[in-house]
């Protein structure tokens, strides 16, 4: 008897949310560079299994809130691949200079740990 083919199950994903503070003097510049994110950076984000990525800004607190869904199976490995891309590191060097981290001891996005962006806990979600 022939076995029926079943499609591989898709990873339902891990939702990630992060915050950082935007320096007041760089608000306009940060928004400007994000209107035209470099194609190499966007491609690497996609290749590292990051989907549905958004960044929000609250002008009264200058907080940037990032949210994305990770759909791969090796988060740490994919983050290392993202970090290894020279164009991504160049992008981070530029955008990190516009930001102030909430994470004690954080040096930059490139340095990895401690994380430059502070991960925040999800307390409610409805799909």
């Amino acid at each position: 008897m022939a076995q029926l083919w079943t499609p591989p199950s898709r990873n339902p994903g891990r939702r990630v949310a992060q915050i950082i503070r935007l320096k007041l003097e760089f608000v306009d510049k940060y928004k400007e560079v994000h209107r035209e994110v470099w194609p190499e950076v966007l491609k690497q984000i996609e290749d590292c299994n990051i989907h549905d990525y958004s960044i929000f800004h609250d002008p009264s607190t200058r907080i940037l809130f990032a949210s994305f869904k990770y759909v791969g199976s090796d988060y740490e490995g994919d983050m290392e691949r993202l970090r290894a891309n020279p164009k991504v590191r160049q992008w981070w060097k530029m955008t990190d200079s516009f930001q102030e981290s909430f994470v004690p001891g954080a040096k930059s996005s490139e340095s990895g740990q401690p994380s430059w962006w502070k991960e925040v806990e999800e307390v409610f979600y409805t799909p």
Side-chain angles (χ1 to χ4, degrees):
M1 181 184 283
Q3 193 171 16
L4 293 176
W5 179 82
T6 56
S9 61
R10 183 168 182 237
N11 180 348
R14 170 183 165 199
R15 295 166 45 81
V16 177
Q18 304 167 316
I19 58 171
I20 202 159
R21 188 178 316 277
L22 189 57
K23 294 177 183 175
L24 183 59
E25 65 272 23
F26 290 111
V27 170
D28 292 336
K29 184 66 175 173
Y30 188 84
K31 291 178 181 182
E32 176 188 322
V33 300
H34 279 83
R35 283 192 285 275
E36 295 187 38
V37 177
W38 302 340
E40 302 91 341
V41 172
L42 294 174
K43 175 84 169 93
Q44 189 65 56
I45 288 170
E46 181 182 342
D47 289 350
C48 290
N49 298 299
I50 296 171
H51 293 257
D52 199 23
Y53 192 177
S54 297
I55 300 176
F56 300 86
H57 176 240
D58 175 20
S60 65
T61 62
R62 300 189 334 267
I63 289 176
L64 294 171
F65 171 82
S67 172
F68 61 88
K69 191 172 203 179
Y70 175 72
V71 296
S73 58
D74 180 11
Y75 184 77
E76 292 305 319
D78 279 331
M79 295 306 102
E80 279 302 318
R81 286 189 319 122
L82 189 66
R83 194 174 295 108
N85 183 305
K87 208 62 169 168
V88 170
R89 288 197 314 272
Q90 185 181 358
W91 176 264
W92 284 345
K93 186 174 183 176
M94 174 183 59
T95 59
D96 283 6
S97 72
F98 305 156
Q99 303 164 342
E100 299 169 346
S101 181
F102 288 109
V103 180
K107 304 279 188 245
S108 69
S109 292
E110 185 178 352
S111 66
Q113 294 300 325
S115 177
W116 184 243
W117 284 68
K118 180 180 180 181
E119 198 161 318
V120 292
E121 177 187 6
E122 181 176 68
V123 294
F124 176 78
Y125 172 69
T126 182

